[in-house]
Amino acid sequence: MTRKITTLLALSLTASLLLAQEKDKEPDPTLTIGDTPAPVQVSHWLKGPKFSRKKPPETFVITFIDADEKGAALLQEVGRITKDYKSSKIKALAVLPPIEKKPIADARAWVKANTKGLSVTVGLDKEGRTRKAWMEAMQAKAVPHSAIVHDGKIAWEGRPEDVLHDNVGEVLAGRLDLGLHWILRNRNQANVIGRAMMSRKHEELIGLVDERLKKFPESVNFYGLKFRAISRMKDGKAKSLAFFEQGIETLAKTNQYAAISFAESVNSLSRSPEVIEAAMTAMHGLSGAEARYPGKAVALQIKILDQQGKNQDALALAKKAFERFKASAADLRALSGSLGNSKKVAVYKDVLRPILEARIPLETDPIYKDGALYLHWQIVAWLYDDAETTMAITKRALEQLSRPDPMNGVLWDILTEKKFGDEYLDLAMTGTERMLAMKGLGPNQLDTAALACWKKGDKKRAITLQERALKAAKADEYPDEDLIQEFEKKLLKYKK
């Protein structure tokens, strides 16, 4: 479970962009991450305070919507942003196109009906000037589309569904890597970096990265790229260590989250004892009483100890950290992530279980809460030999999980693993019904639901669901031929 792209993944993407769609000569966007946005030039203000063309807010969210059901739902989401991040004084703007050439009054009425109690500004872009200056310049293909402006610069842009609210929080806290998102949005410039990276032109790559760091001085992605390039040069061991120590010191002054993230990425890139020791020292300093993200820093220390085979030291540190962070969801999240991803997770089960039990009621974000519930279920179901507790914890997970992916993870295991017998079938069907009522079901969830129905003896419904799963798999933007063949075989089996 993750809503962020890791730095290592970014490094891979930087290189892989070179290999993908080389024939696509479409230019990069003319308005992108890190740029000063164009003025907002709507024709009519339908609700809320107007945005000045000459002096717009330094920090605001702009969302382009249509006057439909999806647009109405996004207005609620945008309104929630201004409420949840009220202390930041962030402003929110929704921009509508003309409503099928109907009078302005119709647009105003639609806005009034769908913004009751919301602190949001809505404008009508009758001539399309704002869409042209924003959406076309960003190469956005369709609405809805959003952009977050922070300190007068675009910090994020993309499809807003399910991610806008949290990305606002990440931007305001300085946790969103703007350099990484720039890489993802500017294919041609990313290809230039990718070519230098893949051809091992280290000095050229360092020069390119230094240019980007001027624009994105806290980008962990670009710090990681530079560390990687330096470490592969002559005298790279000493020089990369010096760069790492300097980078941590520089980032820690302005963005402790980025400093720790840089150490995490370097820990994945390097096994140099000197670098690892420097990382441990830096994390010790960033986990003190005045630190902003002490749990994240301690979690990296635990990970390093675990990688070194010092499992008892890691366990002792985890227990001590649990006592310190019992009331902090974010810090417990970091600890449970580090322990839960260990190859020797069984060593830590007796501290990981209470960490998760303390974390679950503290989580208010459904995504993070689902992550904690799912990991807790995995720990109890797979690492403890207690049939009664496993049944109870499975029932709770299937009742409380709110998203298809983790729900599907539990259902698939209890339907396919020998550990779970027929006594779980009724529970699986109850969970399947809950999952089918959720939004955003993909081919894998439909496939699991079909299996549950088939095992329960409902052959007709199993066939219907498997047909839906097959159709969804074929309609995927990047169809998985192996998955399609697997689904076709299952469909034939259910039809016999």
Side-chain angles (χ1 to χ4, degrees):
M1 185 280 301
T2 181
R3 56 180 58 185
K4 304 180 189 70
I5 303 172
T6 65
T7 300
L8 275 183
L9 177 55
L11 299 179
S12 299
L13 284 168
T14 301
S16 65
L17 281 171
L18 174 63
L19 304 176
Q21 300 182 13
E22 274 292 319
K23 295 181 180 180
D24 183 4
K25 298 300 182 181
E26 184 177 9
D28 286 337
T30 56
L31 182 65
T32 189
I33 310 299
D35 291 349
T36 301
V40 175
Q41 302 184 68
V42 300
S43 56
H44 297 80
W45 295 100
L46 305 179
K47 177 183 170 65
K50 300 178 182 179
F51 276 38
S52 169
R53 294 183 185 180
K54 294 183 178 179
K55 195 175 180 180
E58 284 289 297
T59 300
F60 67 94
V61 179
I62 183 170
T63 300
F64 295 87
I65 60 173
D66 281 330
D68 54 17
E69 184 177 344
K70 183 179 286 187
L74 279 168
L75 281 174
Q76 297 295 317
E77 178 75 357
V78 170
R80 188 164 72 94
I81 286 170
T82 60
K83 179 181 178 181
D84 291 352
Y85 301 111
K86 187 176 181 180
S87 61
S88 71
K89 298 182 180 180
I90 190 170
K91 306 297 182 184
L93 169 65
V95 179
L96 280 169
I99 303 180
E100 297 179 356
K101 298 182 180 181
K102 292 181 180 179
I104 303 299
D106 286 8
R108 200 178 300 278
W110 183 87
V111 170
K112 183 178 180 180
N114 288 287
T115 58
K116 293 178 180 178
L118 300 181
S119 178
V120 58
T121 295
V122 183
L124 181 69
D125 191 25
K126 190 175 181 180
E127 290 84 19
R129 288 182 295 179
T130 302
R131 287 201 178 199
K132 183 176 181 180
W134 286 70
M135 285 190 64
E136 289 185 21
M138 291 187 291
Q139 295 183 356
K141 304 299 182 185
V143 295
H145 199 86
S146 296
I148 302 169
V149 177
H150 186 46
D151 292 337
K153 304 289 185 182
I154 295 178
W156 176 87
E157 58 96 358
R159 301 284 294 184
E161 296 96 331
D162 300 324
V163 300
L164 180 59
H165 181 278
D166 290 334
N167 278 343
V168 168
E170 295 296 293
V171 167
L172 294 175
R175 294 191 296 260
L176 199 72
D177 189 336
L178 306 192
L180 167 55
H181 286 271
W182 177 89
I183 279 280
L184 298 175
R185 299 297 293 169
N186 293 269
R187 179 179 296 276
N188 294 315
Q189 294 182 71
N191 279 343
V192 174
I193 295 174
R195 288 189 186 96
M197 181 177 174
M198 295 182 71
S199 60
R200 301 180 181 179
K201 296 179 179 178
H202 305 309
E203 291 185 1
E204 179 183 337
L205 176 58
I206 290 170
L208 292 167
V209 168
D210 281 341
E211 283 299 309
R212 300 274 64 85
L213 282 171
K214 291 177 183 178
K215 191 172 186 177
F216 307 110
E218 296 177 353
S219 172
V220 175
N221 178 55
F222 288 122
Y223 265 95
L225 279 171
K226 186 170 180 177
F227 175 87
R228 183 181 184 275
I230 293 173
S231 67
R232 284 158 172 74
M233 296 175 67
K234 185 178 180 181
D235 299 326
K237 185 176 181 181
K239 290 180 179 178
S240 61
L241 174 61
F243 173 72
F244 173 69
E245 292 175 329
Q246 180 187 2
I248 289 289
E249 182 179 353
T250 301
L251 287 170
K253 291 176 182 178
T254 59
N255 190 328
Q256 292 184 13
Y257 188 91
I260 300 168
S261 297
F262 178 40
E264 289 172 338
S265 69
V266 167
N267 178 59
S268 300
L269 291 167
S270 174
R271 285 293 173 265
S272 164
E274 292 80 8
V275 170
I276 300 303
E277 182 181 352
M280 287 292 282
T281 300
M283 293 308 99
H284 180 74
L286 289 170
S287 61
E290 302 301 319
R292 285 198 65 186
Y293 302 99
K296 184 176 174 68
V298 172
L300 180 54
Q301 291 175 280
I302 291 171
K303 181 177 181 178
I304 291 172
L305 290 170
D306 177 71
Q307 290 170 339
Q308 293 174 331
K310 299 177 181 178
N311 306 114
Q312 292 307 310
D313 290 343
L315 181 60
L317 183 56
K319 288 179 178 178
K320 186 177 179 180
F322 176 42
E323 292 301 318
R324 178 184 173 187
F325 301 132
K326 272 186 177 179
S328 170
D331 292 320
L332 293 178
R333 192 183 308 140
L335 292 180
S336 57
S338 182
L339 296 168
N341 287 322
S342 170
K343 292 180 180 179
K344 296 182 179 179
V345 63
V347 174
Y348 309 115
K349 66 178 184 179
D350 290 335
V351 67
L352 181 53
R353 182 174 178 177
I355 284 175
L356 289 164
E357 288 168 353
R359 177 189 156 195
I360 289 169
L362 295 174
E363 294 286 14
T364 56
D365 186 303
I367 294 178
Y368 287 136
K369 193 178 190 73
D370 274 6
L373 282 165
Y374 183 53
L375 180 55
H376 184 249
W377 176 81
Q378 288 179 305
I379 296 300
V380 175
W382 289 104
L383 300 182
Y384 289 89
D385 190 16
D386 184 337
E388 185 177 347
T389 301
T390 299
M391 176 65 81
I393 213 72
T394 302
K395 184 174 184 293
R396 184 181 80 160
L398 293 176
E399 288 174 348
Q400 295 186 12
L401 287 168
S402 61
R403 295 166 55 251
D405 281 347
M407 178 73 87
N408 186 62
V410 176
L411 288 171
W412 183 256
D413 279 0
I414 64 177
L415 286 167
T416 61
E417 297 289 344
K418 292 181 180 179
K419 177 182 175 71
F420 305 96
D422 291 341
E423 66 271 20
Y424 280 87
L425 191 52
D426 288 341
L427 199 57
M429 275 308 304
T430 301
T432 296
E433 297 295 350
R434 280 199 69 232
M435 184 173 72
L436 288 172
M438 295 175 180
K439 295 180 180 179
L441 295 182
N444 288 318
Q445 287 91 24
L446 293 167
D447 172 63
T448 299
L451 177 61
C453 292
W454 183 73
K455 284 200 165 191
K456 192 64 177 174
D458 191 343
K459 183 177 178 180
K460 182 177 179 181
R461 194 178 183 199
I463 292 171
T464 300
L465 287 166
Q466 196 63 41
E467 287 175 338
R468 286 177 59 191
L470 180 58
K471 183 178 179 180
K474 289 180 177 179
D476 194 271
E477 186 176 1
Y478 302 103
D480 184 334
E481 294 302 326
D482 290 337
L483 188 68
I484 290 171
Q485 290 181 15
E486 178 188 334
F487 285 3
E488 288 173 338
K489 289 178 181 179
K490 287 183 179 180
L491 184 57
L492 289 175
K493 177 182 177 180
Y494 297 161
K495 286 182 176 181
K496 287 182 179 179

